Amino acid sequence: MGTNDAWQDAVLHEGLALLDVSGQVLDGNAALTSVTGLSSLAGLTLALTTARDGNGSPLPADDLPWLITARTGEPGNNVVVGLISVSSTDGLDSAPTRWLRVCTSPVDVAGTPHVAVSLVDVSREHEATRALLAVEQGVALAATEALAHQAAHDELTGLPNRATLLTRTTEALNRAAVSGRPMALLLCDLDHFKLLNDSRGHAAGDAVLVETAERLVECIRDGDAALRLGGDEFVILCEALPDREHAQQVAQRLIDEITRPMLRTEAVSMTVSVGIALSEPGISAADLLRNADAALYRAKEDGRDRHALFAPELIELAARRLGIEHELREAMRTESLFLHYQPVRRLHDGSVAAYEALVRWDHPTRGILPPDMFLPFAEASDLVLELDRYVLLRSCEDAVSWGGGGDAPSVSVNISARHVGRGLLPGLVARALGRSGLEPSRLTLELTETAFLGVTPTAIAELDTVVALGVRLAIDDFGTGYSSLTYLVDVPAAYVKIDRSFVERMASSTASRAIVEAVVTLCRALGIDVVAEGIEDEGQRKALSRLGCSYGQGFLLGRPGLIDLTAFELTGT
């Protein structure tokens, strides 16, 4: 292809072409031939005319990126198109032979509008993504269906889950605005559920949750909805209320139903607290949920096993929760927070590969608090960013104190999704490494998969910068949100941590086992290690090891505790 010196000096792996506003290729650099697989300007012009979209379907002329730029004068970035290497109109139904990432810019040449086009061959990456999609849709069809269902439903109870709450509530509010009949959100929380789990075990706890869900569904009308938020929290959406008292009647009916003994083989008595929030003009779904949450706190403060209706004065209760945030800031200043560590072991020999840092709070009046007692308050504000900085530095300093050189275990630190996309994460990590002296290869950052929902190229670049420091990334709780196996291509992760819910049900759920097997197989092919969470019995460990899972974590392999510096093992519980 004809080129001039300026084009020849361009990057070798980036094809550059100059087009007129009709799409005719006028010139190109030397790399254009190797990038496109076409040796003539005429052949490239024809290939561009017959370009395909990312799914292989023909692109209408109006949607060709270079013609859009020619028409609008606006640049276009990172559009993936497929080119068919043909020299005539014969064979235009063929599949694309090259996948290119296209960027376009308007240029002026001697007073005449033209379009400059940058072409980069991304065939390998694109085909890998398509292959993964094919696995999701074909080879691992059962796993894909389970993941899709998991995105909108709670696996244990079958109810719609938290991911659908705001959408469903917004739709209900819109219907209420049109009809003029109010709706209500009832936030239900089982009282002292943790005590049941601790005394009777998780199996009994799960059975109670399932039975609770069944009773909630039985208590509501057709057209109303029951959802599980997670843990022991449920939501009821009641629409087209005949009057404001009806919501309180529903809440009392729920309380009466839950009070009846549960579990046929071993009677368990439970109670439930309910917070009620009624719709009002202009209220958002998030604010309605906030009001119900404030009412729920009032019900619990008043003794539990009752319902409370939101009133504006309950905002004072929210202020009290802000007090907890203040105490948490003070705890970081006075070092009342401390870290327990849970081992991550190699499944083939049981040796410790890493320790995951888990923060605890030595509260001056309430004793030792686990993270679920204060992290939700931190997550609700930017306080979680400060908390993460604190835990990250302490974890790095602790890991240095373990010594052991290259043989010492690494440390895994959970980072909130709120960090991603702000541009500050690389600096945060670099400062922690610099102040502690920890080797970057001994640090793994764990982010839940929700951090990658709708992830932007800017956020990916930020994560790439973190990885470039020598730190490793792990996708935590994989499978609990809207899981997409394409994350494994887009995100520079070294590990995927399969959520404990799949591990718990491997023996009883074909879908859960299929998901675990599919993720392990794909990760192995992509060079990504897999950590299975929540391993609590030997059968689970052996099954995961047979599937090729490299690492495991759970009570069977070690409970959280303090590090024994002489043996890299845990002391206490």
Side-chain angles (χ1 to χ4, degrees):
M1 293 183 179
T3 59
N4 55 39
D5 292 340
W7 293 84
Q8 288 282 13
D9 291 339
V11 180
L12 292 177
H13 299 295
E14 181 179 9
L16 300 175
L18 182 67
L19 282 67
D20 64 18
V21 294
S22 70
Q24 181 77 24
V25 181
L26 305 178
D27 203 354
N29 69 343
L32 199 56
T33 296
S34 61
V35 169
T36 65
L38 299 165
S39 58
S40 71
L41 297 179
L44 179 56
T45 296
L46 177 61
L48 293 180
T49 303
T50 60
R52 306 301 178 94
D53 65 19
N55 295 319
S57 301
L59 271 170
D62 288 345
D63 293 339
L64 295 173
W66 39 93
L67 294 186
I68 292 176
T69 295
R71 186 170 64 251
T72 66
E74 297 292 332
N77 294 318
N78 298 324
V79 178
V80 175
V81 301
L83 295 190
I84 303 171
S85 297
V86 294
S87 58
S88 70
T89 56
D90 295 334
L92 292 186
D93 290 333
S94 304
T97 56
R98 294 288 176 100
W99 293 100
L100 306 175
R101 186 176 68 244
V102 178
C103 296
T104 59
S105 298
V107 295
D108 186 279
V109 179
T112 303
H114 289 71
V115 179
V117 180
S118 164
L119 303 167
V120 177
D121 189 349
V122 293
S123 298
R124 181 178 179 184
E125 296 89 336
H126 191 73
E127 290 296 350
T129 299
R130 287 166 62 87
L132 288 173
L133 290 173
V135 169
E136 288 181 316
Q137 298 167 1
V139 177
L141 181 58
T144 303
E145 291 175 347
L147 287 171
H149 190 270
Q150 181 76 15
H153 291 82
D154 173 55
E155 183 178 4
L156 178 64
T157 65
L159 295 179
N161 64 12
R162 178 184 291 272
T164 68
L165 175 61
L166 291 183
T167 299
R168 284 173 170 260
T169 305
T170 299
E171 293 170 350
L173 286 169
N174 291 339
R175 287 189 290 269
V178 172
S179 68
R181 303 179 69 182
M183 59 83 59
L185 187 152
L186 281 61
L187 182 57
C188 312
D189 185 89
L190 292 176
D191 299 325
H192 305 299
F193 180 74
K194 185 178 184 300
L195 293 178
L196 171 69
N197 264 340
D198 291 345
S199 61
R200 302 291 182 93
H202 289 289
D206 285 352
V208 165
L209 291 173
V210 171
E211 193 163 346
T212 296
E214 293 171 351
R215 295 189 186 187
L216 294 183
V217 171
E218 291 172 357
C219 285
I220 61 178
R221 305 165 302 169
D222 291 341
D224 294 341
L227 304 87
R228 183 187 177 202
L229 291 192
D232 57 352
E233 284 193 328
F234 296 83
V235 163
I236 301 295
L237 298 178
C238 296
E239 298 194 48
L241 298 177
D243 51 58
R244 299 173 69 87
E245 288 71 31
H246 183 80
Q248 294 172 285
Q249 295 168 7
V250 172
Q252 188 58 53
R253 189 157 63 245
L254 296 177
I255 292 170
D256 294 341
E257 276 296 310
I258 298 303
T259 303
R260 291 194 298 109
M262 293 192 179
L263 303 186
R264 297 178 181 84
T265 58
E266 187 179 5
V268 172
S269 296
M270 298 295 298
T271 60
V272 64
S273 300
V274 182
I276 307 168
L278 297 169
S279 62
E280 56 189 61
I283 194 169
S284 68
D287 285 345
L288 190 69
L289 179 60
R290 181 206 62 188
N291 291 352
D293 190 45
L296 175 63
Y297 267 77
R298 167 55 60 87
K300 287 184 174 293
E301 280 195 335
D302 287 347
R304 306 176 188 266
D305 190 21
R306 66 194 64 224
H307 59 76
L309 183 64
F310 174 78
E313 59 267 23
L314 293 184
I315 296 299
E316 295 177 11
L317 184 60
R320 242 181 263 171
R321 296 167 68 183
L322 288 178
I324 294 179
E325 292 183 20
H326 173 75
E327 290 182 327
L328 190 52
R329 293 182 194 275
E330 186 68 11
M332 287 187 281
R333 189 184 68 81
T334 60
E335 299 202 355
S336 298
L337 300 179
F338 63 97
L339 300 178
H340 276 177
Y341 291 91
Q342 185 173 28
V344 177
R345 296 185 183 273
R346 300 176 182 89
L347 291 183
H348 74 278
D349 64 5
S351 62
V352 175
Y355 288 105
E356 180 181 355
L358 302 169
V359 66
R360 302 288 189 264
W361 183 2
D362 188 1
H363 193 277
T365 60
R366 301 168 65 188
I368 304 300
L369 301 181
D372 59 358
M373 296 292 289
F374 57 89
L375 282 185
F377 299 105
E379 283 283 2
S381 69
D382 283 344
L383 180 59
V384 71
L385 304 179
E386 298 178 37
L387 182 60
D388 282 353
R389 284 194 289 270
Y390 179 89
V391 172
L392 179 60
L393 178 59
R394 288 289 303 273
S395 301
C396 290
E397 291 172 343
D398 284 352
V400 169
S401 73
W402 302 341
D407 295 330
S410 61
V411 63
S412 293
V413 182
N414 293 281
I415 294 293
S416 170
R418 298 182 63 145
H419 286 282
V420 178
R422 293 177 177 234
L424 303 177
L425 188 57
L428 170 67
V429 175
R431 284 191 294 274
L433 292 172
R435 289 180 60 181
S436 66
L438 181 66
E439 286 292 325
S441 61
R442 290 184 59 204
L443 175 62
T444 298
L445 300 182
E446 297 189 12
L447 295 106
T448 60
E449 64 175 9
T450 54
F452 308 114
L453 286 177
V455 69
T456 64
T458 300
I460 291 293
E462 182 181 4
L463 296 175
D464 285 335
T465 303
V466 172
V467 171
L469 296 173
V471 172
R472 289 171 289 190
L473 295 181
I475 301 176
D476 195 15
D477 297 336
F478 190 81
T480 57
Y482 186 74
S483 303
S484 172
L485 300 182
T486 56
Y487 294 156
L488 305 183
V489 173
D490 296 335
V491 177
Y495 301 97
V496 163
K497 300 188 75 173
I498 299 176
D499 186 68
R500 63 181 298 120
S501 62
F502 296 110
V503 174
E504 289 174 351
R505 295 179 173 84
M506 280 182 62
S508 59
S509 169
T510 302
S512 291
R513 183 180 178 87
I515 290 170
V516 173
E517 186 170 4
V519 172
V520 170
T521 300
L522 284 170
C523 286
R524 187 191 303 124
L526 293 170
I528 299 173
D529 286 317
V530 176
V531 181
E533 299 181 297
I535 300 177
E536 296 191 358
D537 62 57
E538 185 64 19
Q540 292 170 345
R541 187 198 67 78
K542 289 181 178 179
L544 288 161
S545 185
R546 284 194 298 268
L547 291 177
C549 183
S550 303
Y551 301 95
Q553 188 175 9
F555 285 177
L556 176 71
L557 306 178
R559 292 175 177 268
L562 301 174
I563 294 288
D564 180 351
L565 296 181
T566 64
F568 297 120
E569 291 293 343
L570 295 165
T571 61
T573 58

